[in-house]
Amino acid sequence: MLPPDKDELVWSSAYSLRFFLDKRTGKNCFLLGASRPGMRSGHGFEFIHGNFKSRFPEVAVLSDSGGVEIHCMIKATVFSPATLYAAYLVFDFIDNYEKPQKAISVVEIVYGMSDNGNSKERERIVEFEACNNRSDGWMEILLGEFDVGEVNNGNVHVQLLESSGFYVVEGIEFRPLEKEKDWIGKGIFSKIKIW
């Protein structure tokens, strides 16, 4: 799908999106950027332009100790079929500021645009101390996993809840799990909500 001289394609028109292929399997991977048309700077977060590490024109800076919610939704049909995927938050800490500690994440496939409430059995505790360094200079932390069947017309919905602290978010990345035995469970920023 990619031109022979390209490792990835990046779009920054309507929504920031990076598409690339997993080098091991050749399966589709995506990074949905934190920018969103019509989103304005608000209480607890703001968008900044020109972050030298980001592939996108802007990133979200979260700076609210009261808590921030991050939601993202993407059609399941864009993923490679019959594949176990994982969703990762791609972020970086802000020097000399309070680091996030824990949050709750939910990753699931839903049908229609509404998730009809959180699925408690899909919730997991995200501990930011367990994050990994990436080769592109960002950090990542696993938010959850989901199973793309042979035919799936649903949407993959990702939520990060009760996240407090100060950090920069580039986006949410979706990649196939490295091994099936790593499978833990079965399942464009659409909004950032402050409470």
Side-chain angles (χ1 to χ4, degrees):
M1 284 179 66
L2 287 169
D5 61 333
K6 298 280 186 187
D7 289 333
E8 66 180 25
L9 294 175
V10 178
W11 291 273
S12 298
S13 54
Y15 292 91
S16 294
L17 173 67
R18 172 185 176 235
F19 167 73
F20 60 104
L21 297 176
D22 182 72
K23 291 187 193 248
R24 298 171 299 105
T25 63
K27 298 195 178 221
N28 298 346
C29 303
F30 298 91
L31 172 63
L32 296 179
S35 65
R36 178 179 186 262
M39 180 69 74
R40 294 187 207 120
S41 295
H43 303 291
F45 74 94
E46 65 178 320
F47 288 109
I48 60 169
H49 297 273
N51 182 295
F52 70 96
K53 289 195 300 190
S54 181
R55 301 157 186 83
F56 306 127
E58 59 186 7
V59 294
V61 178
L62 307 180
S63 56
D64 192 322
S65 57
V68 174
E69 278 186 31
I70 298 172
H71 296 254
C72 126
M73 192 171 291
I74 184 171
K75 291 193 174 297
T77 53
V78 302
F79 296 100
S80 299
T83 303
L84 302 176
Y85 274 90
Y88 300 87
L89 180 71
V90 180
F91 73 101
D92 201 359
F93 295 120
I94 301 174
D95 292 338
N96 304 318
Y97 283 92
E98 175 192 358
K99 292 183 177 178
Q101 299 298 313
K102 292 184 181 180
I104 297 172
S105 69
V106 178
V107 177
E108 58 191 341
I109 296 180
V110 297
Y111 297 90
M113 292 307 290
S114 171
D115 64 344
N116 299 317
N118 288 338
S119 175
K120 291 290 183 189
E121 65 272 12
R122 306 284 308 157
E123 288 184 2
R124 67 184 293 147
I125 300 295
V126 174
E127 298 192 21
F128 282 83
E129 289 181 0
C131 64
N132 296 314
N133 291 316
R134 295 163 50 103
S135 60
D136 59 7
W138 291 92
M139 305 180 98
E140 70 178 21
I141 190 162
L142 178 66
L143 299 178
E145 307 86 12
F146 59 97
D147 185 2
V148 178
E150 291 293 342
V151 177
N152 196 318
N153 294 320
N155 297 296
V156 178
H157 186 208
V158 179
Q159 296 176 284
L160 186 65
L161 311 166
E162 301 176 12
S163 173
S164 62
F166 295 76
Y167 56 107
V168 179
V169 175
E170 185 182 37
I172 295 177
E173 187 167 278
F174 300 91
R175 300 192 309 264
L177 283 169
E178 296 225 355
K179 303 174 195 162
E180 273 198 38
K181 70 177 186 178
D182 292 338
W183 174 244
I184 296 171
K186 284 194 166 193
I188 312 177
F189 282 118
S190 59
K191 66 180 174 178
I192 296 179
K193 176 181 167 187
I194 311 300
W195 72 90

